[in-house]
Each structure stands twice: as structure tokens, then as C-alpha cells.
Amino acid sequence: MIYVLQRSTAPNKKEINYVVEQKLVISIYTLKNEIKIYRSMDMVKKANEALLYIDSNCVMLAGLTEETGGNCFLSTQHINETSPMIYRINLSTLSKVKINDITTAIQIKLQMLLDEDGKRSLGFYSDTDSVNPYQCIDDIELAPEKMNKVIEAKKALEKKLGISGEDFGDPQLDALGFDDV
């Protein structure tokens, strides 16, 4: 499904039209925890890169350094039907997102936005009714060259956790206000 929305960049600047490439609802706590863990790993921090893997069944945040193997599935309530995608995210920029501004929610809506020039942004939304994100990360790009390593890491993590691709998500989160995504 493709949506078009506008994002105002600053006063007196023209609005930018975006197409929603990906739409997710994930656990705030898992995301905040993983960002904190990655920022504490010297090798990941030095690389300043996190990888966001998205397919129709799961979302995984990966550090993918040989030394750490830092990978985690994010608890999800909603993922748009999609073919597997891998995005490279600037870790410093991601760690500055004010996720703790959402005081009562346990989930956050994320959308991967694609502008008219092909540049990506990751939008953070406080609720499903929000049309405009309260914050965006603009340092995002596709990383298809990392796909094989991420798939290997995903399989290793599934084996370690004793789960399969169909076991993702958290059905308890459906009753928390994001069921109309």
C-alpha cells in the first residue's frame, strides 16, 4: 500500500511529498533497549551503523560486527506486507531520537518514507492517527550488500531463541490502540 504525505521542513520552506515505503508498530522498550546496548558496544559504536531488517513476519535490529554479533528481534504488532528489506541507519542519529517523549505508550509507529528524489527518512509517530511524524531520521539508505549476512544472523538468532519466522509479533499488543494501523 502506498500513501503520500507531506512533511514541512522549516518555516518558509516548501513541503516535501513522501511515499510510505514501510509501516511498522513496534515495542518502544525493545527499541530503546537495543539502541542503548549498541551505543555501549565499542565496535558497533565505532562503526556508527545499525541495520534495520524488515520482512512481512519480523523486524530485526542488527549490529552485525563479527566481535559482537549484536542482533535483536523487535516486538511488533504490525508490519506491512513486504519483501525483505535491509536499511543502514546512522547509529548516532538513531540514539538521539526522543522516544521517551511518549510517556504512556508501550508502542511506537515507524514509517520508512521515500521522498521525490529517492531519499529515505525514518519517521517516528506518537499514535496511529498522526499524519506527520514528531521526529525523523534522514540518514537512511538501503543496504542490499548486507542482506546475506543479515539473513544468516536472523537464522542464527531464530535457532538460538527456538523460534521460526511465523512466531514473531506480540498478540497482546493488539488491544493497546494500534489495531487500526
Side-chain angles (χ1 to χ4, degrees):
M1 191 180 310
I2 296 178
Y3 302 92
V4 176
L5 60 101
Q6 295 181 344
R7 177 175 155 212
S8 181
T9 56
N12 302 326
K13 297 264 185 169
K14 75 172 197 160
E15 289 188 342
I16 301 172
N17 290 319
Y18 286 91
V19 172
V20 177
E21 185 175 68
Q22 300 284 343
K23 191 175 187 178
L24 317 164
V25 176
I26 62 172
S27 164
I28 289 174
Y29 302 109
T30 310
L31 180 61
K32 283 175 60 172
N33 225 17
E34 283 308 301
I35 293 169
K36 184 178 177 181
I37 289 168
Y38 287 167
R39 293 294 296 164
S40 69
M41 293 178 179
D42 288 337
M43 293 301 292
V44 176
K45 189 174 179 178
K46 186 176 178 180
N48 197 28
E49 176 181 284
L51 298 170
L52 182 65
Y53 171 82
I54 303 168
D55 71 22
S56 295
N57 296 316
C58 77
V59 177
M60 183 173 85
L61 195 59
L64 280 196
T65 59
E66 302 288 326
E67 295 81 1
T68 64
N71 306 306
C72 175
F73 293 118
L74 301 177
S75 297
T76 59
Q77 189 261 323
H78 173 82
I79 307 170
N80 272 5
E81 190 69 29
T82 185
S83 58
M85 303 287 283
I86 186 83
Y87 300 94
R88 181 179 294 114
I89 301 173
N90 180 298
L91 187 56
S92 296
T93 308
L94 181 61
S95 68
K96 292 176 186 170
V97 173
K98 295 179 180 168
I99 297 171
N100 56 345
D101 285 353
I102 306 170
T103 56
T104 59
I106 63 170
Q107 297 174 299
I108 188 167
K109 180 172 93 172
L110 305 177
Q111 291 190 135
M112 190 63 67
L113 306 170
L114 187 63
D115 75 10
E116 297 161 338
D117 297 328
K119 290 187 176 187
R120 288 178 172 79
S121 295
L122 183 60
F124 293 79
Y125 299 77
S126 55
D127 61 56
T128 58
D129 295 329
S130 297
V131 175
N132 296 313
Y134 71 85
Q135 192 164 353
C136 279
I137 296 175
D138 294 325
D139 197 355
I140 305 281
E141 57 188 53
L142 284 174
E145 73 282 0
K146 302 275 187 174
M147 185 62 83
N148 288 337
K149 277 191 165 187
V150 171
I151 295 296
E152 287 174 24
K154 177 181 177 275
K155 288 178 183 175
L157 189 54
E158 286 172 342
K159 185 176 179 180
K160 178 181 171 185
L161 298 174
I163 58 176
S164 67
E166 294 81 39
D167 294 336
F168 294 102
D170 190 342
Q172 294 178 351
L173 298 178
D174 290 343
L176 299 172
F178 284 89
D179 56 343
D180 60 346
V181 175

